[in-house]
């Protein structure tokens, strides 16, 4: 019979250490409830800093799409449904790359995979140069897909890694705290991006141009986009180099049995499958609202702002998520994560209904406040769904990464509703998404026991 013992390490009593189980031959194996192998305490703090930096970077770059959308909509005279292809191209990468990314983690480890992801992001940023020089919308979509592929790989690394850097009992809180740095990036990047990208929003009507004149106009107007992403490429190279130099700091354990599709077997577990569905809906709802916010706030029926000022107001949407995550990391230590999730989902639905059925400041600020409700959703859904995955944590992260494709599906559908019935009417779809998340919070309000988790994984 297995029994819990001290590991023999001087810091074995430290709550930040992973617990080990001694088996009959005297060796040690990882408890099935714990996401990864034990990490030496001397490396934990340093590794956490790297993970926080990864969350900050991919969160900030992702949020720049909300600034790109009104810019590209004007440049290429697109409808809402058409310009939402930006999010489709971006989040399609999660669908296609998440499982291969998880497989790469299983083969070469977390930090080497993180380096690969950062370099892929850098290449995506560099591809904005040919996209701008040709003035072709499909090339912008291609650059965004490559950039998102790198972000997908980094995210497959970051979510399970932060969970294994400490006591699993506080994984919900720790992941929420790490996600706060993601929100810090999404708070800082859009206002700066608005100044750099939307500040040059031209008064020329591209519908009046054609041929070489139209191409020249699009090339000139997209120059600010290129400058922004070239700066990001330089930063990504430096961070990738730093992560590579620390690639041997983490001792890892992975389940390398099975093939690349083995991970989908986790969907047989109802708790995990329901959680993956909620990730799909959450990301779709959050991205749909964020993508339409600039245009929504520019409406006379909302705040009637200019494009630059509307872009700056994204600070409040993403800033609300940041503040909520810092607060939520403490709240989740005191209250059941499922119950907290249900409460914030109910809050998001209420705010959307208020915004959709009002005008002026109430309409605009109610929608911006949804960011606060979003704050703890992703990390809480992720950690609730991932409870008990043990050494299959990377596989679980890969499957959940696939579910992030909701950001490619829900926004275009929301855009199509906006083209037909207006932006206020289109908010009904995100509200329905939050309704399902509320149900999951109530379903998963009780923790999954270690014995139950081990039994589930054995099937």
């Amino acid at each position: 019979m297995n029994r819990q013992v001290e590991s023999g390490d001087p810091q074995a009593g430290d709550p930040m250490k992973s617990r080990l189980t001694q088996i009959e031959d005297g060796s040690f194996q990882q408890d099935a409830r714990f996401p990864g192998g034990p990490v030496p305490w001397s490396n934990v703090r340093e590794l956490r800093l790297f993970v926080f930096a990864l969350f900050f970077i991919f969160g900030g770059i992702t949020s720049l799409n909300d600034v790109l959308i009104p810019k590209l909509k004007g440049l290429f005279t697109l409808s809402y449904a058409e310009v939402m292809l930006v999010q489709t191209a971006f989040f399609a990468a999660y669908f296609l790359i998440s499982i291969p990314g998880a497989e790469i983690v299983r083969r070469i480890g977390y930090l080497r995979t993180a380096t690969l992801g950062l370099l892929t992001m850098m290449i995506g940023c560099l591809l904005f140069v040919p996209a701008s020089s040709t003035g072709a919308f499909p090339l912008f979509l291609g650059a965004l897909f490559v950039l998102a592929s790198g972000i997908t790989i980094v995210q497959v690394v970051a979510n399970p890694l932060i969970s294994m850097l400490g006591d699993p009992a506080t994984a919900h809180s720790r992941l929420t705290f790490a996600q706060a740095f993601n929100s810090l990036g999404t708070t800082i990047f859009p206002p700066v991006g608005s100044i750099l990208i939307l500040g040059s929003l031209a008064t020329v009507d591209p519908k009046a141009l054609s041929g070489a004149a139209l191409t020249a106009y699009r090339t000139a107007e997209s120059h600010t986009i290129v400058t922004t992403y070239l700066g990001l490429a330089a930063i990504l190279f430096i961070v990738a180099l730093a992560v590579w130099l620390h690639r041997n700091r983490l001792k890892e354990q992975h389940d390398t049995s099975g093939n690349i599709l083995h991970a989908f077997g986790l969907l047989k577990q109802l708790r995990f499958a329901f959680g993956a569905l909620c990730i799909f809906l959450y990301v779709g709802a959050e991205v749909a609202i964020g993508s339409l916010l600039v245009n929504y706030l520019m409406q006379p029926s909302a705040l009637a702002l200019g494009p630059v000022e509307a872009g700056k107001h994204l600070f409040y949407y993403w800033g609300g998520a940041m503040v909520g995550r810092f607060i939520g990391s403490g709240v989740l230590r005191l209250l059941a994560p499922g119950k907290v999730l249900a409460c914030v989902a109910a809050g998001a639905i209420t705010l959307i209904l208020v915004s959709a059925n009002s005008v002026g400041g109430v309409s605009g600020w109610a929608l911006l406040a949804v960011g606060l409700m979003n704050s703890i959703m992703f990390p809480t859904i992720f950690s609730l769904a991932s409870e008990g995955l043990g050494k299959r944590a990377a596989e679980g992260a890969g499957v959940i990464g696939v579910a992030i494709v909701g950001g490619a599906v829900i926004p275009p559908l929301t855009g199509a509703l906006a083209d037909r019935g207006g932006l206020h009417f289109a908010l009904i779809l995100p509200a329905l998404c939050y309704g399902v998340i509320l149900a999951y919070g109530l379903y998963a309000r009780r923790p999954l026991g270690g014995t139950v988790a081990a039994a589930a994984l054995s099937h």
Side-chain angles (χ1 to χ4, degrees), residues 211-435:
L214 180 59
T215 301
Y217 161 76
R218 288 172 174 169
T219 300
E221 283 298 308
S222 60
H223 177 72
T224 54
I225 300 176
V226 172
T227 303
T228 301
Y229 281 88
L230 283 178
L232 290 173
I235 294 171
L236 288 167
F237 177 77
I238 295 171
V239 176
L241 180 61
V243 174
W244 176 256
L245 293 175
H246 291 77
R247 64 192 181 279
N248 295 320
R249 293 294 184 92
L250 182 65
K251 302 300 181 183
E252 305 178 33
Q253 296 179 12
H254 298 285
D255 180 3
T256 56
S257 62
N259 57 36
I260 193 171
L261 300 179
H262 182 238
F264 286 105
L266 293 172
L267 292 173
K268 295 177 181 178
Q269 301 179 47
L270 178 58
R271 185 186 182 96
F272 180 81
F274 197 173
L277 171 63
C278 287
I279 289 291
F280 176 93
L281 298 173
Y282 161 72
V283 174
E286 181 191 48
V287 171
I289 293 173
S291 300
L292 295 174
L293 258 176
V294 172
N295 293 102
Y296 192 92
L297 299 178
M298 290 171 61
Q299 295 179 114
S301 60
L303 299 183
L305 300 173
V308 175
E309 284 302 312
K312 289 180 180 179
H313 274 65
L314 290 172
F315 171 87
Y316 299 104
Y317 181 70
W318 297 111
M322 177 187 68
V323 172
R325 281 172 175 167
F326 280 118
I327 296 173
S329 65
V331 172
L332 288 168
R333 290 176 177 267
L334 305 173
L335 302 176
K339 293 179 181 178
V340 178
L341 178 63
C343 288
V344 295
I349 295 169
T350 301
L351 288 168
I352 288 174
L353 292 176
V354 169
S355 180
N357 292 283
S358 59
V359 295
V362 173
S363 178
W365 287 104
L367 194 59
L368 287 168
V370 173
L372 180 63
M373 298 298 106
N374 285 337
S375 58
I376 61 99
M377 287 192 190
F378 185 95
T380 304
I381 297 169
F382 181 92
S383 54
L384 285 172
S386 300
E387 281 184 0
L389 294 186
K391 295 178 184 179
R392 300 188 68 184
E395 293 176 71
V399 175
I400 289 177
V402 171
I404 294 175
V405 75
V409 177
I410 304 297
L413 294 176
T414 308
L417 289 175
D419 288 331
R420 290 177 176 271
L423 291 173
H424 285 72
F425 172 73
L427 293 177
I428 189 174
L429 184 54
L432 292 173
C433 294
Y434 288 122

Side-chain angles (χ1 to χ4, degrees), residues 9 16 41 78-79 103 106 170 181 202 209 224 347 377 404 456:
D9 190 286
M16 304 308 295
W41 174 242
L78 304 170
S79 68
E103 183 68 14
R106 292 206 304 161
T170 57
F181 287 88
L209 303 176
T224 54
M377 287 192 190
I404 294 175

